[in-house]
Each structure stands twice: as C-alpha cells, then as structure tokens.
Amino acid sequence: MKIYCENTNSSFLNDNKGIGNDDNYYMKSKNKQYPQFVFTNMKGFSAGKFNYIKKAIKKYLEDDCPQIEGLLLKYDIKENGFGRIGEVYDETCGK
C-alpha cells in the first residue's frame, strides 16, 4: 500500500474563507492501476471525518482487503497518522 499526500496552499476555501494549506490524501493498492482520493484534511487530521474515511477505504479495497474497515481504529490513525492505514493493509492483506 502506498499513501500519498498532496499539499495545496491555494484552494476554494483559501480564496473565499481565509483557510488554506489543505492536505489531499490518496492511497494505491498494489492490485489497483491508479491511486484513489480518500479525503482532504484541512488544518490537521480531523477525527470527525473518520467514518467517511473508512467508507472510502472500504470501497476502494473491497476486492483486495474487505476486512480492513474493522481494523482501522480512530485513536490509532489520529495518534500515528494516515500512513498507519498502509501499515494495517500491509500487515493484513498486503503480503
């Protein structure tokens, strides 16, 4: 599993509400041709988006690793960062 983060210092929110420096997170499974956008993280990791993130990951990995959704824990991702999702995938389904 590869995790990508793209930082943008100009966005719709930045131009209109004074908020910027968004991090866009993508992931790419070894069995997929293209990376998948997962979420935009504005001003740090927002645990409130966790259910949305889990659903996006479950949909992307439904053929490769359907059990990953139950293994992703909010406190673990918040404490260890988004890259932890890649580690969980590799430990569970990536080998």
Side-chain angles (χ1 to χ4, degrees):
M1 172 68 65
K2 294 188 185 224
I3 305 291
Y4 301 94
C5 179
E6 168 192 46
N7 181 269
T8 60
N9 27 351
S10 179
S11 70
F12 173 79
L13 290 175
N14 185 37
D15 296 338
N16 292 290
K17 299 189 190 282
I19 301 170
N21 292 323
D22 303 343
D23 292 326
N24 299 314
Y25 286 89
Y26 302 82
M27 59 192 305
K28 184 184 177 305
S29 162
K30 66 180 180 173
N31 298 324
K32 303 286 185 180
Q33 185 174 359
Y34 300 105
Q36 168 71 38
F37 169 77
V38 181
F39 78 107
T40 297
N41 186 17
M42 296 176 279
K43 290 190 169 185
F45 181 77
S46 170
K49 295 182 182 181
F50 192 68
N51 286 335
Y52 169 80
I53 293 166
K54 282 176 58 171
K55 286 179 184 176
I57 292 168
K58 178 183 176 185
K59 176 93 172 126
Y60 179 66
L61 297 174
E62 64 189 350
D63 295 331
D64 297 349
C65 192
Q67 67 270 36
I68 195 166
E69 182 185 26
L71 301 172
L72 300 176
L73 305 173
K74 186 188 320 184
Y75 76 89
D76 187 21
I77 306 304
K78 189 172 182 178
E79 184 175 314
N80 297 302
F82 191 67
R84 180 69 180 125
I85 295 169
E87 293 172 358
V88 171
Y89 172 86
D90 289 343
E91 292 166 2
T92 307
C93 304
K95 297 186 186 217

